[in-house]
Amino acid sequence: MKELLITLCLFAYAIGFTQTEPQKAESQDTLLIQMVDNRVKLLQDELNLTNTTANILRKKIVEYSVEADKIIQSELPYNEKARKLKSLLYYQEIELKNILTVSQYYKYVNLTASN
């Protein structure tokens, strides 16, 4: 649940990010990268991730954030955007299961459920 909330916050940030002037985009790119880096650092500490796994996870979070931004900025009706974002979260969760070990994944689930 917390992962969904954090992801939705990143998506909301992406909306504001794309609706700004070009000169502000660079500083917002930096802010987005900092947010992702902070999230990955937290997960790396809590789940005892290797640097390689943390880097893969970082790339995936950025990738899914970009895809979410494309959906949000599209001309699709609201209900279609919601459906596509829900689907995107579903596939992100599947990839997370493939990236983490079984014990790391269950730690992750417990971590997000408790917060």
Coordinates of all heavy atoms in Angstrom, one line a residue, residues 13 17-18 20 22 24-36 58:
Y13 N 4.1 14.1 -8.9 CA 5.2 15.0 -9.2 C 5.5 15.1 -10.7 O 5.8 16.1 -11.2 CB 6.4 14.4 -8.4 CG 7.7 15.2 -8.8 CD1 7.9 16.5 -8.2 CD2 8.6 14.7 -9.7 CE1 9.0 17.2 -8.6 CE2 9.7 15.4 -10.0 CZ 9.9 16.7 -9.5 OH 11.0 17.4 -9.8
F17 N 5.9 18.2 -13.0 CA 7.2 18.3 -13.7 C 7.0 18.6 -15.2 O 7.7 19.4 -15.8 CB 7.9 16.9 -13.6 CG 9.0 16.7 -14.6 CD1 10.2 17.3 -14.4 CD2 8.8 15.8 -15.6 CE1 11.2 17.1 -15.3 CE2 9.8 15.6 -16.5 CZ 11.1 16.2 -16.3
T18 N 6.0 18.0 -15.9 CA 5.9 18.2 -17.3 C 5.1 19.5 -17.6 O 5.1 19.9 -18.8 CB 5.2 17.0 -17.9 OG1 3.9 16.9 -17.3 CG2 6.0 15.8 -17.8
T20 N 5.7 22.5 -16.4 CA 6.5 23.7 -16.1 C 7.2 24.2 -17.3 O 7.3 23.5 -18.4 CB 7.5 23.3 -15.0 OG1 8.4 22.3 -15.5 CG2 6.8 22.9 -13.7
P22 N 10.4 25.2 -19.6 CA 11.6 24.4 -20.0 C 12.8 24.7 -19.0 O 13.5 23.7 -18.7 CB 12.0 24.8 -21.4 CG 10.7 25.3 -22.0 CD 9.9 25.9 -20.8
K24 N 12.8 25.3 -15.9 CA 12.6 24.7 -14.7 C 12.7 23.1 -14.8 O 12.9 22.5 -13.8 CB 11.2 25.0 -14.1 CG 11.1 26.5 -13.7 CD 9.8 26.8 -13.2 CE 9.6 28.3 -12.9 NZ 8.3 28.6 -12.4
A25 N 12.6 22.6 -16.0 CA 12.6 21.2 -16.2 C 13.9 20.5 -15.7 O 13.9 19.5 -15.1 CB 12.3 20.8 -17.6
E26 N 15.0 21.2 -15.9 CA 16.3 20.6 -15.5 C 16.4 20.5 -14.0 O 16.8 19.4 -13.5 CB 17.4 21.5 -16.0 CG 18.8 20.9 -15.7 CD 19.9 21.7 -16.4 OE1 19.8 22.0 -17.5 OE2 20.9 22.0 -15.6
S27 N 15.9 21.5 -13.3 CA 16.0 21.4 -11.8 C 15.0 20.4 -11.3 O 15.2 19.7 -10.3 CB 15.7 22.8 -11.2 OG 14.4 23.2 -11.4
Q28 N 13.9 20.2 -12.0 CA 12.9 19.2 -11.6 C 13.4 17.8 -11.9 O 13.1 16.9 -11.2 CB 11.6 19.5 -12.2 CG 10.9 20.7 -11.6 CD 9.6 21.0 -12.2 OE1 9.2 20.6 -13.2 NE2 8.8 21.8 -11.4
D29 N 14.2 17.7 -13.0 CA 14.8 16.4 -13.3 C 15.7 16.0 -12.1 O 15.7 14.8 -11.7 CB 15.6 16.5 -14.6 CG 14.8 16.3 -15.8 OD1 13.6 15.9 -15.8 OD2 15.4 16.7 -16.9
T30 N 16.5 17.0 -11.7 CA 17.4 16.7 -10.6 C 16.6 16.3 -9.3 O 17.0 15.4 -8.6 CB 18.2 18.0 -10.3 OG1 18.9 18.4 -11.5 CG2 19.2 17.8 -9.2
L31 N 15.5 17.0 -9.1 CA 14.7 16.7 -7.9 C 14.1 15.3 -8.0 O 14.1 14.5 -7.0 CB 13.6 17.7 -7.7 CG 12.7 17.5 -6.5 CD1 13.5 17.5 -5.2 CD2 11.6 18.6 -6.5
L32 N 13.6 14.9 -9.2 CA 13.1 13.6 -9.4 C 14.2 12.5 -9.1 O 13.9 11.5 -8.5 CB 12.5 13.4 -10.8 CG 11.9 12.0 -11.1 CD1 10.8 11.6 -10.2 CD2 11.5 12.0 -12.6
I33 N 15.3 12.7 -9.7 CA 16.5 11.8 -9.5 C 16.8 11.7 -8.0 O 17.1 10.6 -7.5 CB 17.7 12.2 -10.3 CG1 17.4 12.2 -11.8 CG2 18.9 11.4 -10.0 CD1 17.0 10.8 -12.3
Q34 N 16.8 12.8 -7.3 CA 17.1 12.8 -5.8 C 16.0 12.0 -5.1 O 16.3 11.2 -4.2 CB 17.1 14.2 -5.3 CG 18.4 15.0 -5.6 CD 18.3 16.4 -5.1 OE1 17.3 17.0 -4.9 NE2 19.5 17.0 -5.0
M35 N 14.7 12.2 -5.5 CA 13.7 11.4 -4.8 C 13.9 9.9 -5.1 O 13.7 9.1 -4.2 CB 12.3 11.9 -5.4 CG 11.9 13.2 -4.9 SD 10.4 13.9 -5.7 CE 9.2 12.7 -5.2
V36 N 14.2 9.5 -6.3 CA 14.4 8.1 -6.6 C 15.6 7.6 -5.9 O 15.5 6.5 -5.3 CB 14.5 7.9 -8.2 CG1 15.0 6.5 -8.5 CG2 13.2 8.3 -8.9
R58 N 16.8 1.2 -9.3 CA 16.7 2.7 -9.6 C 16.3 2.9 -11.1 O 15.4 3.7 -11.4 CB 18.1 3.3 -9.4 CG 18.1 4.8 -9.7 CD 19.6 5.3 -9.5 NE 19.7 6.7 -9.6 CZ 19.8 7.3 -10.8 NH1 19.8 6.5 -11.9 NH2 19.9 8.6 -10.9

